[in-house]
Every structure is written in C-alpha cells, then in structure tokens.
Amino acid sequence: MNAPVGNQNLRREIPAGFLDALKSRFGERFSTAQSVCEHHGRDESPYPAMLPHGVVFVQTTEEVAWVARHCNDHKVPLIPYGAGSSLEGHILAVQGGISLDLSGMNQVLAVHPEDFTVTVQAGVTRKQLNEEIRDTGLFFPIDPGADASLGGMAATRASGTNAVRYGTMRENVMSLKVVTADGRVIETANRARKSSAGYDLTRVFVGSEGTLGIITEVTVRLYPQPEAVSAAICNFPTLDAAVQSVIEIIQMGVPIARVEFMDTAAVKAINAYSKLDLKESPLLLFEFHGSPSGVKEQAEVVQEITRGNGGMDFEWADRPEDRSRLWTARHNAYFAGLQLRPGCRASTTDVCVPISRLAECVSETAAELDLASFPYTIVGHVGDGNFHVLMLLDPDDPAQWEESEQLNRRLVERAIRMEGTCTGEHGVGLHKMEFMLAEHGRDALDLMAALKRAFDPHDILNPGKIIPPA
Amino acid sequence: MNAPVGNQNLRREIPAGFLDALKSRFGERFSTAQSVCEHHGRDESPYPAMLPHGVVFVQTTEEVAWVARHCNDHKVPLIPYGAGSSLEGHILAVQGGISLDLSGMNQVLAVHPEDFTVTVQAGVTRKQLNEEIRDTGLFFPIDPGADASLGGMAATRASGTNAVRYGTMRENVMSLKVVTADGRVIETANRARKSSAGYDLTRVFVGSEGTLGIITEVTVRLYPQPEAVSAAICNFPTLDAAVQSVIEIIQMGVPIARVEFMDTAAVKAINAYSKLDLKESPLLLFEFHGSPSGVKEQAEVVQEITRGNGGMDFEWADRPEDRSRLWTARHNAYFAGLQLRPGCRASTTDVCVPISRLAECVSETAAELDLASFPYTIVGHVGDGNFHVLMLLDPDDPAQWEESEQLNRRLVERAIRMEGTCTGEHGVGLHKMEFMLAEHGRDALDLMAALKRAFDPHDILNPGKIIPPA
C-alpha cells in the first residue's frame, strides 16, 4: 500500500537499556514480539502497519505514570492504545516507541445514578458500559458504531448517530484522569455539572488524540433510558427534500434522537446485506425517544413535515423487532457497503458542514463521485451536517487509491469553503493532517503547536500526529 | 472596603510615550479621565475600584489587534471590558494598564436560521441579541440574570436559570474570533456543529476570563422558540424533599427548561419586593417548554412526582402574565434580597455540587449561616446543583465582611469535599483564586500556568487573575 505518510523517516533510536527496564518492571506484560507489535501498529485506517518497538499492557494509572516518566526521561515516543478502532492512523507508531495498551484497565469504577454520571477506566468499551449500568435505568448514548473504548472515544472526540440529540464526547465528558508527559497525574475537573473555575482542561484533552496526555479514567454523563422508543423511515425524491425536512423538524423543536440519511447505493447495499426490501431511493431513518405520547406526537409532526417536502412511504416501526431490524441495518451499512465490491479496500470521508449547506455539499460530491472508477455509498448524520462517503477501492490498484485521495481533497476543500470541517468525528490522526492548515490557518495552528510544546516539551506523546510540520 | 486582594503592589510602570501613542491612534476614543478609569476599574463584586491607566473604546477587531501589539511590545496589561457585570473582580486593573472597552462592538453580524447559529461582535448583549433575532422564531437561551455581553459571557463561561435544559456557554459557543496577546487574529473553529479537527481552541478561550486572548466575535447556537411555555410552583416541607423531586423528574426524562429553588427567606424577600403572596416555605419554581400537549404532560408528571415527595400547593401558571410575574420575581430575587437590609453591601457565593449532595450541602451551609450576624437568602439552580447564598452585610462593619468570607471559605471546602466546584457560573476573577489550588491540585494548576505562559508569554492579558502565584 502506498498510503502517504510523512515522518516515517523520523523513527527514533531507542537508548540502550530502555527496553530492558520495561521488561524488568512489567515482565510478561511487556512484549516486543513481532505479532504483538504488528497488532498495535495498525488501526482501521487504510494505512499499512507502523510498528512500535514494544507494547506495555498496563493495569493502573500509576503504571501509566511510570511508563510516561520512563519514556520522557529517554525521549521515547509513547502511544496510547484502546480498542484499535480508530480510522485515520491515530495509533500508528510513525516514530516507533512504546504502545501503551489500556484495554486491561476495564473496570467501571463508580456509578452515581442520582447524579447521572459514571466513572470508568479508559479501557472500558461503550457496550460493556451500557451492559454494566443497565439496571440503573440510565444509559450512555454516544455510539460511534465500533465498540470503542471510552478513553479512545474521549481522545478522538467521537460521536455518532444520536449526537443530534445527546451531543458528542465534547459535551458528555465531565472529567478525566490524565497522566502528563512527565508522569504526573491530574484530574481535569470534578463531578459538578458545570464550573467556571479556570481553564477547561477537560476539553483540552478531549480530542487531543493522545498527543497532550494519556487518559486513564473518564467520567461521563448518563441519560434516562427513554420510556418509549419509536422509529420511522421515509423516502424522498431528492436529497434536498430530505435535508429541508430535517431543518424544519429541528425548527419545530422536535427532539429527534437520531436522523440518518442514506443514498440510493447505500440503501441497495443494505437491502442486499440485511435482506430488507427498502425502497431504493434517498431515505431518512428516524428514531424518537420520549414518553409514549411524546414519541407519537414527534412522529406525527415529522410525518407531516416530510409529506410537505415530497416525502413518500412514511413508515413507522413501533415494534422493537422492526425498529431493531432497521437500525441494525443502518449500523451494518459499512459492512453492507463493502459487500458491493467483495475483497475491496475501503476509504471513508468525514466532512461536516452547516446543515444549510449539506444538500449542496453532498450533491456536488456525488456528481464528482459518479465519474470515479470505483463504486461508493453515502450515509450521513443529517442533523449534524456530517456525512461519510464509503469509497470501494481495488486493493491492487494504486491509481484508485490516489483517485480516492484526490476526491477526498476536493471534498474537504468544498466543506471548508462552506464553513465546515475536514472531520466531524473520526479525528485527524495521520490522514487529515494535510488539511489542518487550510482549516485553521497558520496562527491558530501555531497556538495549537504552542499548547503541544507546553504540555509535552520533549514531543513524546503520540508524536507526528494532528499538527503538520510547519 | 478592606476586600482582600493580592498583586496590587505589582502595579506596573507605563513606559514613556505609551499613552501618547494610544492618544494619537484613537483620539477621543482613548481616555485617561479619572471618571472613565473609575467606571472601568470596578465591577459588581464587593471589591473597591482598581483603576487602569487609560481606557480605549474599540470598534473593530483590527483595532483590538493594534492595541494588543502595542501593549505586548511594551509589556503593559490589557483588560477586556464588556458590560462590567462580572461579580468576582474579573475586570479590576490590579496591575494597572489599559482597559479595552468592547461595548461599541455591538453588531449582530450574521444570522443563519437554518443552521441555528448567529455570529455577533463581542459587545452585543444577550437582550439585544434576542431582540434582533426575534423574527427568526429562534432564541438564545443562556440567561445569567444581568444583561451581560456575549463576549463577557463566553469569557466567564456563564450560564443561569435554564442551563439544566440548554447547557452553559461551554456547550453553546460554536466558535470565537480571538485576538492573541501578540495581536494575531484567529478563528477558533468554523460553523460545523461538531468537529474532531485538532485541539478545542474554542473551549480553551471559553472561561479564560480575558487571560489567554481577547474575544472579539462570538458564534453561538440558537434554539426554536418553544411553541408553548408553562410554569408551576410547588412548596415543600424540606429542601431534601424538593431536591429529591428534581432528581426523580430528571430520571423520568422530563425535559424541564428551568427549575429554581428558593429558601424561606428568599420567598419572603420576593413576596415583599414583588407584592406576591407565595407561601413562605422552601419552594421550587418550574418552567416547561414544548408543544402544548408536551408541556401539559411534563407538568402532570412533575406534579405527581412532587406530590410523592410531600410537595404541597402545586400551582400552574399557564397564562403568560402569571408566568411572567413569577419569573420576573425570581429574576429580581437579588434586588429583593438586598431590600431585606436596605443600604447593605451584598456578597454572593456560587458553589456547585453533584445534585445527590445538594440538599446536604445547602443544609449544612444554612445551619452555619443561621448563626451568622447578618441575614441571608439562598436561591439555587437545582437541576445543576448550583446555588447562591446572598449575604447581606453592614458596609461599615469590616468584621462582617471577614465573617462572610470565612463562611464562604467553609462553604467552598464543603463543596470541594462533595466533588464540587468553588464557582458554578460566576468565574474566578480575584475572589476565587484562593480556592484554585484546593480545587485543582498543584499539578493541574501547573498545566493551566503552562497554558497561560504559552499563549501570553509577557503576561499582559488580564494579569493577576485565575491562577494564584505559585
């Protein structure tokens, strides 16, 4: 694979004795085995593996602090690893060093149902969390698709299908325990629901992708499990009509929990993969949370608005099994897409624009993609203005990779021109670094670099990510 | 007044020619007049005025950048000034320097109703904003009581009575235009509803109280004006019963827009001031936003829950005039409180704790206050766990000031012990600096100091605030 990556030439030398010290401190929980390093040197991105020199499997914050001090003292890179589900090369060891595997830190530490908060170790995954708190009547809503770790989700500022109602990790992380580059341990905040007491260290670390500190504990907000849940599906003649419906639905104050767009190709893929018979046209998939009568009212308002915009075949899915079938299908859209071209290699885009520009942005993009030499599908978190193009590439054809990269570049330029961003929820990693200057401008990037230097003077924390070389 | 303040001995020397350059650049819009400096050297805190050397009335971001460069070149303090409504000494010129009056930057720059965003200059006040966007059917919900400027509200991470539903400035600022210490102009983000593209500069500046950069434009989220609004009031035998009701209401998923607590003294004060005849016991005041049937359903659920907790005399206020009378009374609680002791000097506390600890925190505090030599009232944003004690002090009795400071210290210690914060929404300014170490710990404070040095190496931006000297 010829994925473009800078900084590989910067692979650092490991000082003599450095690895031995890790071995003697961690024994079997430190490994330099090729297979272990390979597993920790790749994620779900299209990049080839870039291997760390070794992997430490930590169990406590104190161990993380010990490793950080050791790496900082010897200027060796340190890369936190959660579930390995990142999409943009976040965890690749471009400069070598130590991969810090936090998956063993998987304890739910404190549930406070009356305060709607839970504190977990960074390696707890979102499915595990919801499993463990089910009896409280509360749930954690952020759902990026993959069963990511909470630490990784915080570090990536993840979101997903129900951000339109519940927000992203930015809004839902209340506090973090963080190990600094030099091995100090801080709490970024307390459990108060709001605070004006100084700089917002929580939000400094949320989205910092392991480059400013290592998250070892996460406190997040929880929400009441909705009394009633209902779903609906609606076909539209055009994307424009679908987007206009969503704008009006939000203007009416309908608190939709999810609203997802699929283009015709995505619907076809889902029909084939999940054995459904959805009408093959652009469609919106809705989910409503609330009281039984509230959910009914929401659906009625939505039906009326969609009808006014040319929506057809508005269909309710009230029974849990029907709802679950639809939403499972949506969740499988990625795998369904892959099946459109068995054996393909996939690349996914992630722009997010103001919703008023969404239809225009998707339409221009689709017009270009229709000329591409490979198939694609589009799904979108319409309420947030965020959509993904899944590009299905021939793994043996480097020209198709380059073609897809060019299409993504033009897509990102378009999104930035429309006051949007190159990444709504996947993060920067390696893949989006080239867009950071265009999106933020030199002066804002300089501030980010100043922040990085202030927090990590020896550049040991996940180096070579987020901020492109000046 | 003997308000305790450090750093006053640090009043800096102004280099020769520095003020002349401002005069020649800004003419009439630069003033060193005593009355102008006095006006800009005080806020709504109990502190005596601390005067800047001069005041610049700016009209554009470019002018702000010019002043910043001038101050940075000469290491002269620069203090942004919005509406002057801060409560903790935020804008006092403890080291002298230049007060930068942004109130003339009062244009609403761009309304995007389809995107639910508006961009304003920093000097626009929240009432002005809501006046100007009324026709769009949208509104900006954050309401700290005072008619503060949007720039000041962002800088203070303000909130208020409806944060329980709509969040605080932390959640509602989408992007800022900021002038850096050395006079560069950046945008912290774009208008996409969410983004994972690098460090969250927006949240770095929200709550930074003018110490990291000068906010000149603010883009915030807007919400649909609710189709129906209803209010209700309910008396309780104890605070505990009131708080328990709120916890259950949130657990039931009722999207209450506001829920305010008042103690008996506050109710008495309001009755006297606003000519009401509310029953004089602890009470909760609710507001519901939604569709007509949704609002009705919310109120019914709330009534049932309050009844189950011993709530009495649940009363609806459906008619706009009744609703408005109740909520105006709540808004005037501060002035009503002052009238309990005409001519008094008031000091207000601002702790915020997890809601499960709220009743305990308020009760312990009230027990101590009952022994104080001055009267007090308590009002609280119960849904957030945030409450204010209004202490009514004899302005000619320094011992009472000291007594109130001691009570606040114990209150803050209690809040921190309960995993809370010294300030839920008023900010640090001068008054809360002494609690920053206890609340955050040395290592987290060191990170804040590192951030400050990285963004403002000459310490010119509102120096002597937020971070106590190490």
Side-chain angles (χ1 to χ4, degrees), chain A residues 181-241:
Chain A
D182 56 2
R184 287 179 290 173
V185 180
I186 66 159
E187 300 268 359
T188 59
N190 42 55
R191 287 203 307 112
R193 205 178 172 94
K194 63 185 196 182
S195 170
S196 288
Y199 305 149
D200 190 347
L201 292 180
T202 308
R203 250 67 37 193
V204 167
F205 289 104
V206 170
S208 67
E209 302 184 11
T211 66
L212 297 178
I214 295 157
I215 297 167
T216 62
E217 291 179 16
V218 187
T219 300
V220 292
R221 281 181 70 163
L222 301 175
Y223 296 82
Q225 290 165 13
E227 194 188 349
V229 176
S230 167
I233 200 163
C234 185
N235 292 92
F236 290 87
T238 62
L239 166 65
D240 241 345

Side-chain angles (χ1 to χ4, degrees), chain A residues 56-214:
Chain A
V56 184
F57 295 84
V58 284
Q59 287 173 345
T60 66
T61 296
E62 292 62 39
E63 289 184 352
V64 174
W66 191 96
V67 177
R69 276 192 302 272
H70 187 52
C71 288
N72 198 52
D73 287 347
H74 297 90
K75 302 193 173 51
V76 170
L78 179 58
I79 306 162
Y81 181 99
S85 55
S86 53
L87 289 161
E88 305 289 358
H90 297 66
I91 56 175
L92 276 55
V94 287
Q95 301 184 17
I98 299 302
S99 174
L100 189 79
D101 188 316
L102 293 135
S103 62
M105 291 181 65
N106 61 357
Q107 302 299 305
V108 174
L109 299 174
V111 190
H112 290 100
E114 296 196 321
D115 297 321
F116 307 91
T117 72
V118 65
T119 301
V120 302
Q121 288 186 309
V124 169
T125 70
R126 65 177 184 85
K127 286 183 183 170
Q128 178 198 346
L129 171 58
N130 276 322
E131 204 57 54
E132 294 202 25
I133 62 174
R134 179 169 296 171
D135 289 349
T136 61
L138 304 175
F139 80 116
F140 175 66
I142 316 284
D143 172 5
D147 190 21
S149 69
L150 271 284
M153 288 171 67
T156 311
R157 203 180 294 126
S159 48
T161 49
N162 47 28
V164 62
R165 164 115 175 216
Y166 297 97
T168 73
M169 289 303 275
R170 181 175 69 191
E171 288 80 23
N172 286 287
V173 174
M174 300 190 63
S175 180
L176 298 168
K177 183 172 278 187
V178 173
V179 173
T180 63
D182 56 2
R184 287 179 290 173
V185 180
I186 66 159
E187 300 268 359
T188 59
N190 42 55
R191 287 203 307 112
R193 205 178 172 94
K194 63 185 196 182
S195 170
S196 288
Y199 305 149
D200 190 347
L201 292 180
T202 308
R203 250 67 37 193
V204 167
F205 289 104
V206 170
S208 67
E209 302 184 11
T211 66
L212 297 178
I214 295 157

Side-chain angles (χ1 to χ4, degrees), chain A residues 10-85:
Chain A
L10 290 176
R11 193 168 169 89
R12 298 190 201 174
E13 287 297 317
I14 302 297
F18 176 86
L19 298 177
D20 294 337
L22 283 166
K23 191 77 204 166
S24 90
R25 173 73 177 77
F26 290 97
E28 292 298 302
R29 291 194 285 117
F30 174 65
S31 174
T32 54
Q34 178 78 6
S35 63
V36 174
C37 289
E38 265 176 11
H39 178 68
H40 288 79
R42 72 166 74 244
D43 58 9
E44 299 290 331
S45 71
Y47 289 106
M50 295 176 220
L51 274 48
H53 288 86
V55 180
V56 184
F57 295 84
V58 284
Q59 287 173 345
T60 66
T61 296
E62 292 62 39
E63 289 184 352
V64 174
W66 191 96
V67 177
R69 276 192 302 272
H70 187 52
C71 288
N72 198 52
D73 287 347
H74 297 90
K75 302 193 173 51
V76 170
L78 179 58
I79 306 162
Y81 181 99
S85 55

Side-chain angles (χ1 to χ4, degrees), chain B residues 140-152:
Chain B
F140 175 66
I142 317 283
D143 171 4
D147 190 20
S149 68
L150 271 286

Side-chain angles (χ1 to χ4, degrees), chain A residues 447-459:
Chain A
L447 280 191
M448 291 191 199
L451 174 57
K452 167 72 172 169
R453 283 192 302 272
F455 278 36
D456 179 21
H458 296 316
D459 195 22

Side-chain angles (χ1 to χ4, degrees), chain B residues 37-164:
Chain B
C37 289
E38 266 177 9
H39 178 69
H40 288 78
R42 72 166 73 243
D43 59 9
E44 299 290 330
S45 72
Y47 289 106
M50 295 176 220
L51 275 49
H53 288 87
V55 181
V56 184
F57 295 84
V58 284
Q59 288 172 344
T60 66
T61 295
E62 291 63 38
E63 288 183 352
V64 174
W66 192 95
V67 176
R69 276 192 300 273
H70 188 53
C71 287
N72 198 52
D73 288 347
H74 296 90
K75 302 191 174 51
V76 171
L78 179 58
I79 305 161
Y81 181 99
S85 54
S86 53
L87 289 161
E88 306 289 357
H90 298 64
I91 57 175
L92 275 55
V94 286
Q95 301 185 17
I98 298 303
S99 173
L100 189 81
D101 188 317
L102 293 135
S103 61
M105 292 182 64
N106 61 357
Q107 302 297 305
V108 173
L109 298 174
V111 190
H112 290 98
E114 295 195 321
D115 297 321
F116 308 91
T117 72
V118 65
T119 301
V120 302
Q121 289 185 311
V124 168
T125 69
R126 65 177 183 88
K127 286 184 184 170
Q128 177 198 345
L129 171 58
N130 276 322
E131 203 59 53
E132 293 200 24
I133 62 174
R134 180 168 297 173
D135 289 349
T136 61
L138 303 175
F139 81 118
F140 175 66
I142 317 283
D143 171 4
D147 190 20
S149 68
L150 271 286
M153 288 171 67
T156 311
R157 203 181 293 126
S159 49
T161 50
N162 47 28
V164 62

